Amino acid sequence: MKNFVVYIGLLFSTTLFALEQPTERIVLTVSGLITNTNRGDSAIFDRKMLAQIPQKTVVTHTPWSEGKHTYSGFNPKDFFALLGIKGDKLSLTALNDYTIEIPMNDFLKEGAIFATHMDGIPMTIRNKGPIMVIYPFDDNPKLKVETYFGRSIWQVTEMTIR
Ligand SMILES: Nc1nc2c(c(=O)[nH]1)N[C@H]1C(S)=C(S)[C@@H](COP(=O)(O)O)O[C@H]1N2
Ligand SMILES: [Mo]
């Protein structure tokens, strides 16, 4: 019976959520405790693949832009399901080697998103893209503290699930 359960789990992770191969520039590499991979032990993504994941929007001011903006990008919940994550910590690394570890529960509870677009326009590296963590600061003033500013990492290129 135990073997049967393991087999079903394997079936679901490999057939239901099969990861395709990127055809464009790789913008994100995920490694660590994930069950779905498409390059060795990692999962790699181009912009097109990220756009196919269900999207989520946050409208807010941030300390990094003037005025209120609409940020949209792949929904963390759907993304973590797609990866088949087996950890509870999210370690993110940026182009400048800035790195931050975020408890997964808190990330989801506070409604953070992986923004790829600002006001409908793809975020380029010079505009803090291709991926930036955005918290809904306007909805929840308690987020306006150093902890969450520090977790608002931009130019994200790598994720490790621990
Ligand atoms: N890519 C990247 N994101 C980053 C940082 C960084 O150095 N690189 N610093 C973080 C920290 S510690 C804080 S407090 C805020 C600081 O933003 P500021 O440099 O505009 O004050 O951004 C966060 N996001
Ligand atoms: Mo900071």
Side-chain angles (χ1 to χ4, degrees):
M1 187 56 189
K2 200 174 164 203
N3 281 346
F4 175 74
V5 173
V6 169
Y7 174 71
I8 291 292
L10 208 64
L11 202 69
F12 270 82
S13 63
T14 52
T15 57
L16 263 188
F17 300 130
L19 279 177
E20 57 183 86
Q21 286 298 323
T23 54
E24 297 166 4
R25 185 169 65 90
I26 296 157
V27 292
L28 177 66
T29 301
V30 189
S31 53
L33 302 176
I34 58 175
T35 45
N36 280 334
T37 58
N38 58 359
R39 184 71 55 90
D41 291 335
S42 300
I44 56 175
F45 295 87
D46 60 17
R47 283 181 171 281
K48 214 166 57 184
M49 293 164 70
L50 296 177
Q52 282 165 5
I53 299 164
Q55 304 285 296
K56 190 175 174 185
T57 295
V58 166
V59 182
T60 189
H61 291 78
T62 73
W64 306 283
S65 295
E66 240 173 82
K68 192 161 85 172
H69 295 278
T70 299
Y71 298 87
S72 60
F74 49 105
N75 189 336
K77 260 188 200 150
D78 294 290
F79 184 62
F80 296 146
L82 176 71
L83 291 168
I85 58 160
K86 296 285 178 223
D88 57 8
K89 288 187 270 314
L90 176 64
S91 173
L92 303 173
T93 305
L95 269 180
N96 67 342
D97 283 338
Y98 175 77
T99 179
I100 187 81
E101 190 171 88
I102 308 176
M104 200 86 73
N105 275 347
D106 191 72
F107 189 86
L108 294 171
K109 184 181 67 146
E110 299 304 346
I113 63 164
F114 296 112
T116 56
H117 290 67
M118 182 175 152
D119 302 324
I121 298 163
M123 292 166 74
T124 58
I125 288 171
R126 73 178 64 186
N127 292 318
K128 298 197 171 355
I131 298 165
M132 179 173 182
V133 169
I134 296 282
Y135 284 86
F137 294 109
D138 286 6
D139 296 347
N140 187 357
K142 139 190 156 202
L143 295 172
K144 294 181 188 171
V145 293
E146 177 63 25
T147 302
Y148 293 102
F149 292 144
R151 291 175 182 177
S152 300
I153 177 174
W154 55 83
Q155 296 174 330
V156 175
T157 57
E158 279 171 61
M159 280 187 204
T160 307
I161 309 295
R162 297 188 214 279

